[in-house]
Amino acid sequence: MTASAPSISVSGDPFVSISKPLSLPLPFNSSCIELSGATLRASRIFSFKLESRKTEPTHLRLLKGLRSNKTLDLKASMGPSGFTQQQENNNQETVTEAEKGHDLFNDLKSRFLSFKKNKYMGNLEHFQNLAQVQLPKFMVIACGDSRVCPSNILGFQPGEAFMIRNVANLVTPFENGPTETNAALEFAVTTLRVENILVIGHSCCGGIRALMSMQDDASGSLLESWVVAGKNARIKTETAASGLDFDQQCRHCEKESLNHSLLNLLTYPWIEERVSKGELLIHGGYYDFIECSFEKWTLDYLKMKTEGTDMLVVKDRMVWC
């Protein structure tokens, strides 16, 4: 098979086809800043007078200067009506936000220490071995969605899966050039020599929804520039699922895009070579977090070559629920 992306026929079933700054303790508005400036100017004027008035005793001149500065500072700190209460409210909000952040990291600290005590120290030899070398069996490509954590839903333990996550779990064709995802693929396949590549899609995918919502004259945001790689899956979905509502079309496209990514994996010469030798298997997975089910299937490379087709053929399809 060549390095170009294989063609995919249209079908209704996606599985069949395819100096330090000044720090102030309290906030000041413009009027207070001006008054503070007056304080500074008055202090400089007073210093000048201190040097020129030689006849007055030093301690009396210093005492007058301190009183003068205190008067100006007091005026500067007063601000407009209600300003003191506003300062107090602002300070309280700042303290509350700081406490929230502190609580969040205290929680993370507790989780880490629990991991260290119950898992790391309980399996010390295993983690010491991992410190020397990693031999994962899986390369996992998943969406960056916070609700879809492969280690959480599939129970991957440290050392079991080399993982990369991106928006909409896309794998672009080889000819599209380098991305963070295919760089991770190259390392996992050629260096770590993983035995399985698992691409995981999921329900309610925001990246797929963005793909399905894109206009032809879209301005080209960073998100659009990325998800446009799935445009063939969108075209196929619009043809095969035209009678469905938008949400159902998105769900169809979530699986269609995933199948396109499986086929795109075969455009990488070093992936197809290992797949053809039976040293590497390519799998698709779909996590429905509404129903809490997981669907899994495997690309049947041998049958595709036997039938001489570039369309996706799958085997070992199962649903865990």
Side-chain angles (χ1 to χ4, degrees):
M1 183 175 290
T2 63
S4 61
S7 61
I8 304 171
S9 67
V10 174
S11 168
D13 185 349
F15 294 101
V16 174
S17 62
I18 81 150
S19 106
K20 300 186 180 177
L22 180 64
S23 177
L24 298 174
L26 295 175
F28 287 84
N29 63 12
S30 59
S31 62
C32 293
I33 292 172
E34 292 172 1
L35 287 171
S36 296
T39 301
L40 292 174
R41 289 194 295 273
S43 177
R44 291 171 184 158
I45 293 171
F46 172 73
S47 298
F48 176 77
K49 290 182 178 178
L50 181 63
E51 295 175 0
S52 61
R53 294 173 60 185
K54 303 294 185 180
T55 58
E56 189 172 3
T58 301
H59 68 281
L60 291 177
R61 283 185 273 118
L62 288 173
L63 181 60
K64 289 180 180 180
L66 288 173
R67 287 174 178 171
S68 174
N69 281 350
K70 284 183 178 180
T71 301
L72 288 170
D73 287 340
L74 178 60
K75 291 179 180 179
S77 66
M78 290 174 64
S81 176
F83 182 69
T84 301
Q85 184 61 45
Q86 180 183 345
Q87 287 178 324
E88 292 176 356
N89 292 339
N90 290 341
N91 286 342
Q92 186 60 42
E93 290 176 3
T94 302
V95 169
T96 300
E97 290 300 319
E99 288 176 347
K100 287 180 180 178
H102 186 64
D103 289 343
L104 284 174
F105 279 92
N106 273 341
D107 184 43
L108 292 183
K109 175 185 175 181
S110 297
R111 296 185 202 182
F112 172 74
L113 294 179
S114 176
F115 159 77
K116 181 176 181 179
K117 177 182 177 181
N118 300 315
K119 294 187 177 181
Y120 187 92
M121 299 306 297
N123 299 277
L124 187 58
E125 183 179 356
H126 172 65
F127 281 99
Q128 287 178 336
N129 290 335
L130 286 179
Q132 303 302 317
V133 64
Q134 60 170 323
L135 298 170
K137 299 293 185 183
F138 284 88
M139 165 64 184
V140 176
I141 302 171
C143 185
D145 194 301
S146 63
R147 300 163 292 184
V148 185
C149 177
S151 294
N152 186 264
I153 62 177
L154 296 176
F156 286 117
Q157 298 302 306
E160 289 186 342
F162 190 82
M163 203 169 297
I164 189 77
R165 299 177 70 175
N166 65 48
V167 174
N169 46 271
L170 296 175
V171 178
T172 57
F174 178 75
E175 65 267 19
N176 281 25
T179 66
E180 183 180 10
T181 297
N182 55 37
L185 270 169
E186 182 180 49
F187 179 73
V189 173
T190 64
T191 302
L192 299 179
R193 302 189 73 80
V194 297
E195 298 173 1
N196 300 274
I197 298 176
L198 173 60
V199 185
I200 302 176
H202 67 94
S203 57
C204 305
C205 182
I208 295 299
R209 183 169 288 267
L211 170 65
M212 293 296 294
S213 303
M214 282 180 59
Q215 302 297 319
D216 293 336
D217 58 348
S219 58
S221 66
L222 292 175
L223 175 62
E224 291 172 339
S225 297
W226 170 250
V227 299
V228 73
K231 63 182 179 181
N232 288 336
R234 170 183 167 171
I235 293 171
K236 189 172 180 182
T237 295
E238 289 173 340
T239 301
S242 58
L244 302 178
D245 64 31
F246 183 73
D247 288 340
Q248 291 173 318
Q249 287 184 10
C250 287
R251 185 177 179 86
H252 188 282
C253 191
E254 286 162 359
K255 294 182 179 181
E256 196 65 70
S257 174
L258 173 51
N259 285 337
H260 275 256
S261 286
L262 299 186
L263 287 172
N264 285 341
L265 285 169
L266 293 177
T267 66
Y268 293 82
W270 28 272
I271 290 180
E272 186 183 13
E273 179 184 3
R274 294 203 66 208
V275 170
S276 67
K277 294 178 179 179
E279 298 172 351
L280 176 65
L281 295 174
I282 294 176
H283 313 274
Y286 182 82
Y287 173 48
D288 184 337
F289 53 67
I290 298 175
E291 301 294 336
C292 195
S293 64
F294 193 90
E295 192 172 355
K296 173 264 175 188
W297 57 97
T298 300
L299 182 147
D300 192 339
Y301 179 82
L302 181 60
K303 190 171 183 178
M304 288 174 61
K305 301 308 291 183
T306 300
E307 295 180 356
T309 179
D310 287 336
M311 295 188 300
L312 181 70
V313 180
V314 303
K315 62 181 180 179
D316 300 332
R317 184 179 174 186
M318 58 189 72
V319 178
W320 307 329
C321 58

